[in-house]
Amino acid sequence: MKRLLWIPGAMALVIAAGCARQPVAAPAAQATAFGSAIVESSGGKQLGAPGAALPQPLVVQVNDAQGNAVTGAFVIFSGSGGVRFEPTESLTDSSGQLTTNVMLGGTSGRYELRAASTDKSGKPFTLSITELALGYQEQVGYAVDQNYCARCHDQESSAERVSNYDNLAVKPHAFTDGQTQDALSDADLTAIIGHGGPALNHSALMPPYGATLSRAEVQALIAYIRLISDPPWRAAGVVYAKR
Amino acid sequence: MQSIKAQFISLWRAWFRDPIRPFGVVSVLLLLALAVAPAKDHFSEWHSYQKQYLRLILDRGDAVTLQRHFRGGIQQIWLPDLGVVDRCQTCHTGLAEASLADVSTQPFRRHPPIPHKLDEFGCVVCHRGQGAATTVAEAHHSALAREEPILPARYIESSCGQCHHAPMAGTPRLNEGRELLARYGCVRCHTIRLPDGSMMAATDDPPPLTHIADKTTREWVYAWLKDPASYASSATMPNFQLSDADARDISAFLMATSTPQPGDTLAVPASSKAPDPAAGASLYGESFCASCHATQNAAGNLVGGNIGPELTRIGSKVKPEWLQAWLKDPRNYDAHTQMPHYRWTDQELTALAGYVANKTDSDFLANVHLDAPTPQQIAHGKALVTEYGCAVCHEIRGVAKPENFAPELSRIGSKPLAQLVFTAGMPKTLPDYVDGKIRHPRAFGAGLRMPLYTFTAQQVDALTTALLSLTDRSFALPSRLQIAAQPMTTYQPAGHAGKLMAELNCFACHRINGRGGDMAPDLTWEGSAVQRPWLDDFLKNPNTLRPALIRRMPRFNLSNSERAEVTDYFMTVYQTADFDRDSMPLGGYSAALVEQGRQLFYSKYSCQSCHMVNTQQDKGYIGPPLTQVGSRLNAAWIYHWLKNPQALRPGTIEPNQSMSDEDAGALTAFLMMQKTSGKPGAKQ
């Protein structure tokens, strides 16, 4: 009987080992300097695809109180919805910047990311970054926008496309302009896209597309406008919390 | 017999004493057995998800509706002709609930809108996984033989590609991947057969090497073979990772097998004065060489088109006498080249060739020193050329084109894991395998010959997406679901004019009758659209329309008779049967009608947002300027265009304004009054 006593002993050991906290794989990089603010250098507000890496990496910079870049500050990225970063955390480089590749989660929509660091006293400060994953419908909307609308609604010219914005007597608004676009209901958008500016008592410089685009394309455009507008569009209708 | 029975009875009595009791025991056992099934359901994963779902919707304003939609128990979509038995909605209860748009917790998220109905296609056709399974592990992650795990979201567009073989607006990655498969010539070595029996075709243009010694030096061939990207960052030729000796021997063989072609070299005329470099540069610009050829600018960015090869270091590649001959008549060297036959004068040729040849990189060949080859080296080079399959893409004298050089990829998207060899440490999934094969083809074993490409991460994702669309299911789905790509027609205009159009390679940019590029307008009905004098003049001096475009129609310097021939052909052949171009007069409209048209132009239709009629006041710059449209287009064309632009040129971005006959007539009258002052086609 006594010879069997090792069994509970061994079991206790196994359980203890199993319950022990997983050792941290690599000790977090030690900050060698501290800043007081994080700013975005590039890579915010990109149009990506669900589950895929963003076209451009995300670059953030840590600055001190005087606004000078801080080398060796520790930055950690986080985000919900299955976002992954490569790397997730590291120290800023000699120009005070940290570059990370972002893989969005598996569903379309807005992704709110955070970059966080701490100041000398250990007080955290953060930066919020928004990235967008276009689903099928928004992707169609994007393509229609690029082909038909962006020439007037986007002030930027590209090698393939010269912007017509400056040539218009009445100025259209960018689809990212949430102040303007969010004020229009889905029905308003359908009307002005389908029947042109006069449908909403706007200028006829906005042409009608009802006989050119399919209903699905117009819906896709609206889904796209709703996704990219900033401040973000809040769909009306759903009443949350009954109790 | 009797004794056995007696023994059994006594045993029975010894156990149960009372003869009624056994029935009780058996009943209890039976009851327990019956309870197993409901208990299994009750404690199952999906049941707990359904309970969670009901709790989730309880708090919502539309709880009653959602509860009414909810159906408990195993839910199944059964589509025999698609091979679908999907129980996914057992856990994914809210998939079809539009009002759950704000719910992001899985498995309750609503499915994002797509053009297909859930009940018509099920889930696994697009997402893969085991539709009939009722546990997450089995449904999502099974990697057993003939079962496949869920497809990662980043490759989801590949599923569209199982039926849709033409590019779609909603699947940019799939489109790009397919384009890359064609443009990088992947499909030259790897056959890809589509469900309709057609083959994916390559769109790259690997040159023949039969006369390569006329064109370039062995040193250049050597350096190019060692690393094509070091010569041109946009090279579509991959890196075969050749050793110095192998590159030396292949270059020796290619030079030795090349034969001179009469007319491939043109002695640079010993002109009295050196060619003017500025003249060459302006000719390069005027001829719109950059529409097809890219060069690297000072910042290292490529500027220009990708129809022809990059010219950043072209002077380090081609021999000057070959360059002259090439510019004079490209089809002498390569009968199938895309390069148009410009009719430059000898003086222009010298200036242009001088300018182009000046694009050199002195470092490129600085360290290449090759001794005269030995016969053994040449023979070894030939063996290597055969081994690496160079002749799959290039015509090489003395080496037959191999068939099925690399594994067929028609069903690569369904390849069972058991048949794949993974490298150490890589995740063991099919997408990771395909991705790895594109990134590091040589890492998968010794002796592999697949060359290395320098793709960006985005391009690798796109290629993987396109390859994953090539599934067994794609072949098994009913053919009514298959939407074929519109293949390019083999249309060829007839006669001498047709030959001229082939020499100018109009089809590189323009589409006619379903063949050709989309860089410039479709010309299928150009004869109905334009007036003859304008077309003739445009061919003489084309750089007048749409000054905002970076890519423009080059001037080919056609002779008067050549121009007349092409113009006549266009005016006669490229007409629509839908209307007669002469059915409306080119002028003489009443002032009242013209005025009515002007009103419509500027107010109701606000055409000035995209077009200019009066350059003093109008600024619209999306469509072509209409300042002289009355000398360019036929009235009947304008009228029918206004009524329905897409009917005349599918895909044009001019919106269809659903115009009444009266409005279209008045606008036509107004536009026809916008005539060229002076002689037709003068500088617009």
Side-chain angles (χ1 to χ4, degrees):
Chain A
M1 194 62 206
K2 252 208 173 128
R3 290 209 338 257
L4 289 182
L5 265 180
W6 65 269
I7 294 181
M11 277 169 76
L13 214 74
V14 167
I15 290 169
C19 293
R21 235 157 51 86
Q22 288 288 314
V24 181
Q30 276 294 312
T32 56
F34 299 92
S36 59
I38 309 185
V39 293
E40 178 194 319
S41 298
S42 68
K45 287 265 172 59
Q46 291 186 66
L47 302 183
L54 286 176
Q56 304 297 326
L58 173 64
V59 185
V60 298
Q61 179 172 328
V62 176
N63 289 339
D64 61 16
Q66 283 73 46
N68 300 320
V70 177
T71 301
F74 177 74
V75 177
I76 179 161
F77 295 100
S78 60
S80 57
V83 183
R84 283 178 294 145
F85 300 88
E86 252 178 41
T88 310
E89 51 180 51
S90 193
L91 301 183
T92 53
D93 64 12
S94 57
S95 52
Q97 297 188 329
L98 180 59
T99 301
T100 185
N101 290 304
V102 184
M103 306 268 284
L104 297 180
T107 51
S108 54
R110 291 177 88 86
Y111 284 82
E112 304 293 345
L113 318 181
R114 251 159 52 107
S117 185
T118 52
D119 66 9
K120 270 194 204 67
S121 61
K123 212 168 81 101
F125 52 91
T126 62
L127 166 72
S128 300
I129 305 129
T130 304
E131 304 289 1
L132 305 167
L134 305 188
Y136 176 84
Q137 211 185 14
E138 294 93 358
Q139 194 74 62
V140 173
Y142 169 77
V144 176
D145 170 41
Q146 290 298 303
N147 196 24
Y148 293 91
C149 322
R151 291 157 212 265
C152 289
H153 281 265
D154 187 347
Q155 297 185 40
E156 301 295 323
S157 291
S158 68
E160 323 287 88
R161 193 182 64 213
V162 180
S163 173
N164 193 43
Y165 180 86
D166 290 340
N167 302 327
L168 295 166
V170 183
K171 301 297 180 197
H173 299 85
F175 295 145
T176 46
D177 175 354
Q179 306 288 8
T180 306
Q181 311 300 353
D182 292 356
L184 300 169
S185 67
D186 285 6
D188 285 346
L189 282 177
T190 312
I192 193 168
I193 298 172
H195 302 289
L200 294 188
N201 276 330
H202 284 310
S203 155
L205 290 172
M206 166 67 202
Y209 285 95
T212 309
L213 300 176
S214 69
R215 263 186 57 176
E217 284 172 319
V218 175
Q219 273 167 4
L221 263 174
I222 295 175
Y224 170 70
I225 293 172
R226 295 313 191 197
L227 177 66
I228 65 166
S229 71
D230 187 20
W233 161 257
R234 290 258 175 269
V238 183
V239 186
Y240 299 90
K242 195 166 66 173
R243 298 184 217 148
Chain B
M1 196 68 212
Q2 274 296 322
S3 71
I4 294 176
K5 190 177 170 191
Q7 251 180 10
F8 182 76
I9 291 172
S10 73
L11 215 81
W12 183 271
R13 293 220 172 109
W15 279 357
F16 298 116
R17 261 164 270 154
D18 188 341
I20 301 299
R21 196 180 286 178
F23 290 104
V25 173
V26 170
S27 311
V28 169
L29 280 178
L30 210 70
L31 214 71
L32 279 176
L34 282 177
V36 166
K40 235 175 88 186
D41 267 8
H42 186 80
F43 295 109
S44 67
E45 225 173 347
W46 59 261
H47 191 78
S48 92
Y49 281 130
Q50 292 190 346
K51 280 192 296 197
Q52 276 180 44
Y53 176 73
L54 289 172
R55 276 201 300 276
L56 176 103
I57 58 176
L58 203 62
D59 278 347
R60 299 178 66 89
D62 51 353
V64 180
T65 322
L66 290 171
Q67 277 161 353
R68 191 147 33 79
H69 292 179
F70 173 79
R71 280 185 296 151
I74 300 259
Q75 300 300 317
Q76 176 172 300
I77 299 175
W78 181 43
L79 303 168
D81 62 337
L82 304 190
V84 163
V85 182
D86 283 358
R87 299 178 174 163
C88 314
Q89 279 180 290
T90 308
C91 297
H92 292 273
T93 34
L95 270 193
E97 294 295 353
S99 79
L100 293 185
D102 59 312
V103 172
S104 59
T105 38
Q106 286 293 35
F108 308 125
R109 196 172 179 272
R110 154 195 94 134
H111 195 282
I114 52 165
H116 293 307
K117 289 211 181 73
L118 206 54
D119 329 340
E120 287 169 14
F121 286 87
C123 309
V124 296
V125 171
C126 298
H127 291 279
R128 307 195 179 189
Q130 307 309 308
T134 51
T135 65
V136 176
E138 267 185 90
H140 291 191
H141 307 300
S142 172
L144 298 176
R146 301 217 271 130
E147 300 194 348
E148 39 184 15
I150 290 280
L151 184 68
R154 68 204 273 203
Y155 303 120
I156 194 68
E157 290 173 17
S158 71
S159 301
C160 312
Q162 297 177 111
C163 297
H164 297 268
H165 301 282
M168 292 188 293
T171 59
R173 267 157 297 279
L174 175 65
N175 305 348
E176 183 190 358
R178 284 174 167 164
E179 204 230 303
L180 290 171
L181 285 176
R183 187 148 62 83
Y184 282 83
C186 310
V187 293
R188 288 185 188 274
C189 286
H190 298 281
T191 304
I192 295 183
R193 203 180 303 276
L194 301 176
D196 65 358
S198 65
M199 311 274 233
M200 221 183 231
T203 54
D204 59 342
D205 200 11
L209 305 182
T210 40
H211 313 297
I212 176 126
D214 290 350
K215 175 179 181 175
T216 183
T217 60
R218 183 172 164 218
E219 281 70 21
W220 180 85
V221 174
Y222 172 90
W224 167 261
L225 285 170
K226 285 290 289 178
D227 182 9
S230 72
Y231 169 76
S233 58
S234 63
T236 53
M237 163 117 166
N239 187 334
F240 283 84
Q241 309 242 282
L242 298 169
S243 68
D244 291 356
D246 286 356
R248 177 196 67 200
D249 295 355
I250 294 178
S251 62
F253 168 67
L254 290 178
M255 286 294 147
T257 191
S258 162
T259 56
Q261 161 103 330
D264 264 1
T265 55
L266 190 68
V268 185
S271 89
S272 47
K273 52 180 179 4
D276 175 7
S282 69
L283 206 53
Y284 188 88
E286 275 170 33
S287 308
F288 292 103
C289 305
S291 294
C292 297
H293 296 283
T295 46
Q296 238 170 35
N297 62 12
N301 297 323
L302 276 184
V303 182
N306 66 3
I307 293 182
E310 180 185 332
L311 299 182
T312 313
R313 300 178 179 82
I314 185 71
S316 303
K317 172 183 180 183
V318 298
K319 299 179 174 171
E321 37 321 340
W322 177 87
L323 182 58
Q324 294 248 10
W326 169 263
L327 292 175
K328 191 165 179 77
D329 179 9
R331 270 162 201 77
N332 186 65
Y333 181 79
D334 177 0
H336 305 290
T337 183
Q338 298 255 57
M339 168 93 176
H341 180 180
Y342 288 78
R343 275 103 167 119
W344 286 302
T345 63
D346 283 354
Q347 204 181 353
E348 286 174 324
L349 272 181
T350 319
L352 188 58
Y355 171 75
V356 171
N358 250 336
K359 297 179 180 293
T360 56
D361 179 349
S362 53
D363 295 343
F364 183 61
L365 295 176
N367 296 319
V368 183
H369 306 288
L370 299 170
D371 297 327
T374 66
Q376 289 79 8
Q377 288 175 355
I378 294 177
H380 184 232
K382 180 169 183 177
L384 288 170
V385 163
T386 311
E387 183 188 335
Y388 284 108
C390 309
V392 173
C393 298
H394 299 281
E395 194 183 330
I396 301 172
R397 197 178 304 279
V399 183
K401 178 179 172 162
E403 296 294 328
N404 299 327
F405 187 72
E408 181 175 338
L409 296 180
S410 308
R411 291 169 184 256
I412 179 74
S414 294
K415 199 147 172 147
L417 286 187
Q419 291 179 21
L420 305 179
V421 179
F422 292 93
T423 62
M426 76 181 277
K428 297 199 167 32
T429 74
L430 180 61
D432 284 296
Y433 172 80
V434 174
D435 175 286
K437 272 286 192 179
I438 300 169
R439 280 179 209 269
H440 323 286
R442 298 279 177 92
F444 284 75
L448 292 175
R449 284 164 299 172
M450 160 125 173
L452 225 65
Y453 288 85
T454 40
F455 291 125
T456 63
Q458 255 81 32
Q459 286 176 318
V460 176
D461 271 3
L463 278 164
T464 308
T465 302
L467 289 172
L468 288 174
S469 75
L470 307 168
T471 59
D472 287 342
R473 178 170 267 128
S474 175
F475 283 83
L477 286 168
S479 55
R480 74 182 152 83
L481 293 177
Q482 298 289 342
I483 297 166
Q486 276 280 320
M488 210 67 101
T489 63
T490 53
Y491 167 73
Q492 174 58 44
H496 196 245
K499 215 174 131 241
L500 254 174
M501 286 168 67
E503 270 183 35
L504 303 177
N505 201 13
C506 310
F507 293 104
C509 304
H510 294 280
R511 186 161 303 182
I512 304 179
N513 289 332
R515 175 185 161 206
D518 53 9
M519 197 154 100
D522 189 314
L523 300 179
T524 308
W525 288 335
E526 187 72 356
S528 295
V530 300
Q531 302 173 21
R532 193 183 187 290
W534 177 84
L535 180 58
D536 189 61
D537 203 69
F538 182 72
L539 289 175
K540 197 194 294 178
N541 184 25
N543 41 353
T544 45
L545 213 59
R546 298 213 194 209
L549 296 186
I550 286 160
R551 288 171 174 166
R552 272 192 265 165
M553 166 99 169
R555 178 167 50 217
F556 294 114
N557 311 311
L558 298 176
S559 69
N560 286 346
S561 65
E562 283 174 332
R563 223 172 50 237
E565 199 161 3
V566 175
T567 309
D568 282 339
Y569 193 86
F570 267 67
M571 296 310 294
T572 322
V573 177
Y574 297 137
Q575 295 195 64
T576 166
D578 289 349
F579 61 87
D580 175 1
R581 69 168 174 234
D582 300 321
S583 58
M584 286 171 73
L586 297 184
Y589 293 96
S590 76
L593 194 62
V594 170
E595 182 50 34
Q596 190 189 336
R598 176 193 306 280
Q599 301 279 335
L600 291 170
F601 186 95
Y602 283 109
S603 57
K604 179 163 177 193
Y605 296 109
S606 288
C607 312
Q608 76 276 18
S609 58
C610 298
H611 297 280
M612 288 181 239
V613 160
N614 175 346
T615 47
Q616 307 297 310
Q617 76 184 53
D618 309 338
K619 297 200 214 122
Y621 224 44
I622 295 184
L626 302 177
T627 43
Q628 297 165 35
V629 66
S631 307
R632 178 162 73 90
L633 297 180
N634 290 309
W637 174 270
I638 295 183
Y639 178 84
H640 286 93
W641 176 271
L642 289 171
K643 293 283 296 176
N644 187 353
Q646 282 74 26
L648 295 186
R649 207 171 273 159
T652 178
I653 62 167
E654 163 105 49
N656 177 341
Q657 306 248 17
S658 316
M659 221 175 259
S660 68
D661 295 355
E662 193 198 339
D663 284 4
L667 272 168
T668 304
F670 169 62
L671 290 174
M672 286 313 289
M673 294 315 286
Q674 313 306 317
K675 302 265 192 220
T676 313
S677 45
K679 76 178 178 57
K683 213 100 197 113
Q684 298 196 10

